[in-house]
Amino acid sequence: MKPAPFAYHRPETLDEALAVLAAHGGEAKPLAGGQSLIPAMNFRLARPAVLVDLNRITELSGIRQGGDGLHIGAMTRQRAVERDPIVARDAPLLAEAMPFIAHPQIRNRGTVGGSLAHADPAAELPAVMLALDAKLQVRGPAPRGVRSIPAGEFYTGLFETALAPGELLVDVTVPRAAPRSGSAFAEVARRHGDYALAGVAVRVTVDDAGRCREARIALLSVGDGPVLARKAAKAITGESPTPEAIREAADVAAAKDIDPPGDIHASPAYRRQLVAVLVRRTLERAFERARNG
Amino acid sequence: MDDVQLDGMLHVAFLRSEHAHARLRGVDVAAARRRPGVVAVYAADDLGDYWQPGPLLVPPPPIPGLVFHACTQVPLVKDKARHVGEPIAMVVAESRYVAEDAVADIVVDVAPLQAVVDLEAALERGAPLVHEHLSSNLAAHVVQEKGDYNAAKATAHRVVQRRFHYDRGISAAIENRAVAARWDARAEELTVWDTTQAPIPIRNGLARMLGLLESQVRVIAPFVGGGFGPKIMMFYPEEVLVPWAAMRLGRPVKWTEDRQENFTATTQERGQVHDAELAVTRDGKILGVKDVFLHDSGAYDSYGLTVPINSQCTLLGPYDVPNYYTEFTAVFTNKTLVTPVRGAGRQHGVFVMERLLDFAARELGIDRLEIRRRNYLAPEAFPFNNEIIFQDSAPLVYDSGDYAPALAQAAQMIGYEQFVREEQPRLRVAGRHVGIGIVSYIEGTGIGPYEGARVTIEPSGEVRVATGVGTQGQGHFTSFAQIVAEVLGVPMERIHVVTGDTREFNWGTGTFASRGAVVAGTACHAAAALVRDKIFAVASRVLQVPQERLELVGGRMMVKDATDGGIELGALAARANPLRGAVRPGTEPGLEATAYYGPDRGSTASGVHAMIVEVDPETAMVEIRRYVVVHDCGRLINPMLVEGQIHGGVAHGIGNAFYEQLVYDDGGQLQNASFMDYLLPTATDVPRVEVAHRETASPLNPIGLKGVGEAGCIPTGAAFAQAVEDALADYGLEITEIPLSPDKLFDLLKKTRPKKRNVVVIDGSFVFQGSREAVYALLQDPEVLGKSLPGAMHLGRTGDGRYDGLMRVGIGPVTAAEFSVSVTLHDQKPPAGYGMIVEGKGGFGFVRGTAQVALADHGDGTEMTYRAEVQVGGTIAGVGQRLLDSVAKRMTRQGLEALNTALAARL
Amino acid sequence: MEPRLLLSDFLRQDLGLTGTHVGCEHGVCGACTVLLDGEAVRSCLILAVQADGHEVATVEGLGSVEDLHPLQAAFRQAHALQCGFCTPGILMTLVPFLDEHPNPAESEIREALSGNLCRCTGYQNIVDAVKLSTPVPAGW
């Protein structure tokens, strides 16, 4: 279980990194935290010819509040997000989800951008960003340059994203939540820190009458990537979030929004059941939070 | 073990079979040999006469009518591979990195054979044969009987009958196996470092195989990072090959198993299917038990019948079973070898018996504790002869035990009465599902043949204790030192224990069957007692005082009632080894003695486990809230060590109950060959274990010891099943399968028949624009067909209905790699449909798909209905299973869309 | 040095610091945990070249046989190790955890340990050792 040989580059700046990527075409693979890539390399499933290590690019890490929301640099360690007081205040859904990502040793190294760009269907961060309607800033070689992609358009398939060859994810922006919003995260995993069998990140907004004005329900581990449960959201939007209405929306999510895969840990039917239960439980909590604050 | 670093050391990697069952037609190692940094590459033929099947380690016990076919493992595959992970070639290189590079250079020509996986299917007529010189896959057949079960059944009020499944797991020592060897040509001495639990038999076997004297081979089993059974297996191919390569190359050679290898190359345990019945009276008294089971031997049965015999002997438990019929058939399969893993088959027997008692209690309306109490052997029943033969070839005789008080104590500790009467009903009203489980077990421990120990007092006063068993974390150093310290009255700090080095002690068998403390500990005790006798004899001579007037106080021989004088043990040791003068006839120099202990039969430990669980029936997740163990392993040497053994055993048992299961697909591929998918319990899954000890001394050894190493994990599954069932009493479900999982519990809760999900199935339909004839004709066109295989680079027709080509596939973290691919169309019925076999092979393993395609008119177009089963082998099968379903769906979708586009362009 | 060399192998083979153990090489077992700039990380998931310019602390730096780190002493006292193979990784996980949580509850200790596999102890005595080592044992 040792990696196959590769050429190694360690750029100090983003421009340098983009140049190296451009020079090597599709052969080069960016190395962020490495907590998914290096295991795959140790199994020799991943055999990149060229590794471009992004860990020295200081401009890519950091958390700051901007006019358009909370900015998180792609190379920000997951642990930094977990500990950050601004995140806890302004993006409580993100803060709530962080401890579910593997274990502290992994989060100490793993990065936000690495997880988002890796696009593992079982990963927490893509679903959270989808629920938060985050924007992903991408930089590539000219003429494309900089572009901003909503999370809902970033995920295109199994481990597939809208990133073009040579492009790098540089920043994710979490827009400020509307007043009377609430969020919740839950997942069921075999053991603490495992890939979830199913997971849900929701954010809801209620109107003055307490009716659901908007609901974003993002599911993980039940599709090719994070899944936005549009039908369930439609079912609850405009409704008063009674237990019955919530249960109905949760059942819609399980029955109509997903076509979950089966594996040795969970059958498609079991995954549907988990989605029904978790959507119900997270919606209940999120509406409670929206009402209270 | 991997800490062993020697000058000029070479490193080994193995090419292992990706197929569970395949004929080996050729191995081409030329490219690997040419790679810079590679020193040698060996395939089976390169071994010459050294290639020999391994020894049969444990011959079957003398049971009348027993059938046993010995088929033992080989160093490298010669004719056919019989399980995934079986080594085919060995690479020796300057580093492990280069050795792994070279493994990828080796080209293997194999013809895959149908794999033998399911135990029942393996015994059907016409099943493929694991060993072709045998007429079936039957490895052994054993019947043991006590009394007359059928006659007892005829008088029974009720007969409870069920089928039970108990599936495989791994030992998962955190340190994998390792072997290093150095041949010193000048001294003509071979030194081998090995993670084995049995260094002395390894030395003896290596000497025989390599044509050396036993004294020319030194085997060291250093502090080993966990054993749990599989490290007692010998000879693993690597143990045979690494020393041989070191001698041949004249350089030290080391192989360290990695985790991926461990999942398929290190032995495993626990696959059994039991059809069992329990005949009881109206008041729950056992009249008899009948149990007929299948046991999975894996590909070879070098370890004999220890595991299934343990199952049949442990089933009887602490109960008075007057009539017993037990029959098993051991079966060869194309899976990794089965040898004992902590518990070694005992937990299967306990699971069957305890579950039968639970079902009987429920059907008879008797309390779970009460039915057990009514059937316990009375304390005066010992020694109790069960009239069948145990794994050590001795009759199964329980030496001592006192069972009812242990049950009462466990029930009291966990608050059984209060829980059942008050807490559980109260919580149930609140909508919570809590349950309690409480079960009994016995464990045959501390069997022969023997162990030995040498105790030496050095002139410095330090005491050396040497014994032959290897140690893997059991606390042997502490417990042996404690035994010797007590006999010699010397402080613990002055006692130095050496285990697992054949230069220090070279007689013995090994660490297994919960016997280290019992057998080697008793030998230490005996050797220390002999030294004590010598101390008194020598001191009497030196001090010129009769022995009766001497006493041993704090490491010093004193004359009774004297306040000073006397002699230190170190000084006495020096006097016992004079440079001049004569050692008297009939005496020996020094204060040293060697003693051996070989019990006629094992001692019987016992206990009760109880747990409280809470189940969330919506998510099928289970949490263990409390865990109580009342354990009786005879006299305790060190309660802290005993508790440590129990804690670890319970954690292992919880793993076996709910987390750990090796999942094989129909092709014999292990689908969870990594710690990502094979789930060891973590600190958040294992509860605090509350332990109480009872001490019913064994009459078989002077200290009264019984073993404890395996106890913790033996009854856990049974207790877990009972507790979960109890928590879900309103669902009326029965748990007859271990390991359970949330997924399986979901099926039980929904009362759905679990669908076998171990092959990826792709089915569906698609409508093309065009007539059936046109579509059918185009599907024969290699260019069009190639479009249906995502990533196909080119595909050419190479025969009637056969196409060969290359495809390049990569998904997510898996780098795109080239696969050679062949497509064969068969049963062609134009324009109605055809069968298709797609085979691909590349760096990550292989893919084999079989599909049926039917074409039907659909308006102006044609509807294609397809159903394919896909099997994947190699690394991707072991670590990528959670994605296979999604990948298969995606590739099918892409393929069909591409096909449709191609058809549209051509029609 | 070859860029593909894992930090775990570099520590063990090139530097002879064999206290860092290797148990799975895919980031699950935690046996290879070391501190990189004070934070616990899996050394099997980091390339040795990536540690260039950073501070790496291994179990060798924690204490010696003569002078055990208080946590090591607590491990010995509570019989928190049996085979000891997982122990270095567990110690290196716990040291920064205890810096951040000087007085942890049992549930926090267990969660902190959940990324380290131990097959021998059932974790109980490890939890007890952590409690022993904390200034004011919590929950006792």
Side-chain angles (χ1 to χ4, degrees), chain B residues 748-768:
Chain B
L748 285 173
L749 283 161
K750 293 280 170 195
K751 301 202 168 31
T752 47
R753 254 177 69 81
K755 230 175 49 202
K756 215 170 173 210
R757 280 186 302 272
N758 61 8
V759 278
V760 175
V761 175
I762 304 165
D763 51 7
S765 63
F766 199 86
V767 177
F768 296 105

Side-chain angles (χ1 to χ4, degrees), chain B residues 637-713:
Chain B
I637 304 171
N638 184 321
M640 195 187 235
L641 292 178
V642 168
E643 283 173 27
Q645 289 292 311
I646 290 172
H647 295 165
V650 167
H652 200 148
I654 288 170
N656 287 161
F658 198 52
Y659 293 94
E660 301 178 39
Q661 181 175 21
L662 292 170
V663 183
Y664 284 90
D665 72 8
D666 289 345
Q669 295 289 332
L670 179 59
Q671 295 193 293
N672 51 348
S674 83
F675 276 164
M676 289 177 285
D677 284 318
Y678 184 87
L679 311 173
L680 291 188
T682 71
T684 48
D685 307 311
V686 180
R688 182 161 284 276
V689 180
E690 303 158 53
V691 183
H693 303 285
R694 304 186 64 80
E695 298 190 62
T696 309
S698 171
L700 300 179
N701 59 68
I703 316 181
L705 302 172
K706 299 176 177 183
V708 67
E710 297 167 272
C713 67

Side-chain angles (χ1 to χ4, degrees), chain A:
Chain A
M1 291 186 66
K2 312 292 182 193
F6 51 83
Y8 176 75
H9 294 273
R10 195 161 61 187
E12 306 271 336
T13 66
L14 179 57
D15 290 338
E16 211 183 308
L18 291 168
V20 177
L21 283 171
H24 290 94
E27 297 293 293
K29 180 106 186 149
L31 172 64
Q35 304 299 286
S36 297
L37 178 57
I38 295 186
M41 287 168 63
N42 289 355
F43 280 114
R44 298 204 176 202
L45 289 172
R47 304 182 198 197
V50 180
L51 266 192
V52 183
D53 185 349
L54 308 178
N55 284 277
R56 304 246 159 171
I57 308 177
T58 48
E59 64 196 282
L60 284 182
S61 69
I63 301 167
R64 66 181 172 85
Q65 191 56 264
D68 51 351
L70 185 67
H71 286 256
I72 303 171
M75 284 301 291
T76 309
R77 307 280 172 203
Q78 291 158 6
R79 199 80 159 132
V81 175
E82 181 181 354
R83 289 170 174 156
D84 193 278
I86 306 172
V87 170
R89 192 191 64 206
D90 292 352
L93 177 62
L94 182 55
E96 187 178 349
M98 291 314 293
F100 288 93
I101 303 172
H103 302 283
Q105 297 103 315
I106 299 291
R107 298 198 293 275
N108 278 334
R109 192 74 189 153
T111 65
V112 171
S115 171
L116 291 174
H118 182 52
D120 190 312
E124 287 82 3
L125 287 174
V128 167
M129 294 307 172
L130 195 55
L132 293 174
D133 201 12
K135 306 282 181 294
L136 282 69
Q137 268 69 248
V138 166
R139 276 253 330 251
R144 255 186 157 151
V146 183
R147 52 191 188 121
S148 173
I149 308 170
E153 293 165 27
F154 188 75
Y155 294 99
T156 56
L158 189 64
F159 292 103
E160 280 174 4
T161 67
L163 278 173
E167 279 188 326
L168 281 174
L169 175 62
V170 296
D171 176 279
V172 56
T173 311
V174 178
R176 209 173 305 257
R180 281 191 294 278
S181 289
S183 63
F185 183 87
E187 67 175 40
V188 170
R190 288 297 327 262
R191 301 169 302 182
H192 181 76
D194 278 344
Y195 290 119
L197 305 181
V200 183
V202 303
R203 197 189 64 192
V204 299
T205 309
V206 295
D207 62 18
D208 293 342
R211 280 189 303 265
C212 175
R213 212 172 71 189
E214 194 201 7
R216 288 184 69 86
I217 305 167
L219 312 173
L220 57 104
S221 255
V222 293
D224 283 356
V227 176
L228 196 61
R230 294 174 202 277
K231 294 180 175 125
K234 200 173 161 212
I236 193 78
T237 304
E239 301 290 323
S240 187
T242 60
E244 295 72 30
I246 287 175
R247 184 179 287 273
E248 202 184 309
D251 290 345
V252 168
K256 298 189 175 157
D257 277 314
I258 52 172
D259 176 18
D263 64 18
I264 61 165
H265 299 305
S267 63
Y270 180 39
R271 284 202 154 89
R272 281 189 200 277
Q273 160 95 0
L274 292 175
V275 164
V277 174
L278 294 176
V279 169
R280 193 190 77 222
R281 291 180 183 175
T282 46
L283 279 179
E284 280 168 359
R285 273 184 10 233
F287 279 116
E288 174 81 27
R289 289 169 180 170
R291 277 192 296 270
N292 297 338

Side-chain angles (χ1 to χ4, degrees), chain B residues 567-652:
Chain B
I567 183 166
E568 293 279 352
L569 289 185
L572 200 60
R575 297 287 291 267
N577 184 24
L579 288 173
R580 293 291 183 272
V583 171
R584 291 182 192 186
T587 67
E588 292 164 353
L591 294 179
E592 177 176 288
T594 300
Y596 297 91
Y597 173 65
D600 292 337
R601 51 192 164 82
S603 50
T604 316
S606 64
V608 175
H609 284 211
M611 72 166 94
I612 291 175
V613 301
E614 177 156 10
V615 185
D616 178 348
E618 284 195 328
T619 61
M621 298 302 279
V622 181
E623 192 182 336
I624 300 173
R625 295 226 173 271
R626 278 191 69 196
Y627 204 107
V628 164
V629 174
V630 175
H631 184 254
D632 188 341
C633 62
R635 205 181 133 198
L636 296 172
I637 304 171
N638 184 321
M640 195 187 235
L641 292 178
V642 168
E643 283 173 27
Q645 289 292 311
I646 290 172
H647 295 165
V650 167
H652 200 148

